[in-house]
Amino acid sequence: MSSTLDKPRFEYRGLTVPYIALWEHEHITHPRLNFVRAPGGVARLGYVGEKPRDRDRRGVLYIRENSAQGRGIPDFPRMHSVRQREAQRRLLCQVCGVSARKMHQGRTLFLMGSAEGRRPIREGERSTAPPLCPPCALESASSCRRLRQGLAAAWVEKAIAWGVSGIPYHPDTIQALTEDRVEVAYDDPHIRFTLAYYQVNELRGVSPVSMEELRAFV
Ligand SMILES: [Zn+2]
């Protein structure tokens, strides 16, 4: 059984720093992009001097980012690519890093917030935000100023790996097609020419839950 001792827990100015948060000494490096041949011979985006860890299990190319968790100052709203992907894939709590899978009647808790307020989490909604365990969800809700403005929580039966959030490149020129990140599905042909930042999951079997109900649950 998992315990909270599995992952180091960091605090900054009295606040728990989420497992997926980016730290000051974590930086993206930008190896030169190239066309490479995937197994099977199809062309895809790659790095000059590529390493096996530059791709996920599906062969999607990811940004290269060092790991220096706990060093310097945390950048709360920004996510570390590798830890985000790990949390999305294994359904780890985005705050404590321990499994958040199936914590209530086989379902997993998701919590989303926006300063502008937000609607309830919808069936089939896609997100780069990994789940939370209920205690961390309540702690986040009470400590995060941004979340307090507009919160939506839901129990979710399935979080399916849908695709990535990243920058697609032109397959002939290796020029970025967008300035900002866009979502690209795994079954979209552009995925082979996309530099991914984060994994996107699709939420199925969504049942909204109020913070009061969550408090009673914990
Ligand atoms: Zn947690």
Side-chain angles (χ1 to χ4, degrees):
M1 191 172 162
S2 297
S3 92
T4 49
L5 298 175
D6 290 341
K7 296 270 177 12
R9 196 171 177 111
F10 297 99
E11 285 195 1
Y12 181 74
R13 294 185 172 172
L15 294 175
T16 299
V17 181
Y19 174 66
I20 61 167
L22 191 69
W23 286 79
E24 188 177 3
H25 294 283
E26 295 180 316
H27 303 289
I28 298 170
T29 52
H30 298 280
R32 201 151 61 82
L33 292 167
N34 198 2
F35 287 130
V36 296
R37 294 278 163 196
V42 291
R44 64 181 179 180
L45 196 65
Y47 289 138
V48 174
E50 191 175 308
K51 299 181 170 114
R53 65 171 179 269
D54 290 324
R55 294 185 186 274
D56 68 10
R57 293 172 166 198
R58 290 175 168 81
V60 179
L61 188 71
Y62 265 78
I63 55 165
R64 195 181 281 174
E65 195 169 41
N66 69 312
S67 179
Q69 195 186 11
R71 290 182 53 203
I73 295 169
D75 188 348
F76 280 85
R78 295 178 62 201
M79 300 185 287
H80 186 264
S81 175
V82 174
R83 292 194 295 277
Q84 185 271 354
R85 196 186 344 157
E86 180 199 14
Q88 286 284 70
R89 186 170 61 79
R90 298 174 55 202
L91 296 184
L92 305 182
C93 172
Q94 61 172 274
V95 176
C96 67
V98 171
S99 177
R101 188 188 290 267
K102 298 182 177 178
M103 304 218 73
H104 178 51
Q105 296 176 344
R107 298 177 298 176
T108 303
L109 181 66
F110 285 79
L111 179 71
M112 297 183 195
S114 157
E116 297 83 44
R118 65 151 294 149
R119 61 191 185 285
I121 299 173
R122 298 187 319 273
E123 180 65 28
E125 185 158 334
R126 297 195 298 265
S127 178
T128 56
L132 293 93
C133 66
C136 285
L138 288 175
E139 186 188 331
S140 299
S142 65
S143 64
C144 182
R145 264 179 288 125
R146 188 177 65 89
L147 277 178
R148 215 178 294 165
Q149 306 303 320
L151 270 177
W155 291 109
V156 169
E157 286 172 16
K158 278 188 181 163
I160 296 163
W162 177 88
V164 302
S165 172
I167 305 286
Y169 283 74
H170 194 287
D172 296 325
T173 63
I174 324 188
Q175 296 294 312
L177 292 176
T178 59
E179 230 168 82
D180 297 323
R181 289 194 307 271
V182 294
E183 292 184 352
V184 182
Y186 289 125
D187 59 6
D188 183 330
H190 287 104
I191 195 81
R192 288 190 285 119
F193 298 96
T194 296
L195 181 59
Y197 281 63
Y198 303 116
Q199 179 175 319
V200 175
N201 283 353
E202 183 177 291
L203 308 182
R204 300 261 184 87
V206 172
S207 306
V209 58
S210 69
M211 299 314 292
E212 289 69 35
E213 288 170 305
L214 264 189
R215 252 174 237 119
F217 175 80
V218 173

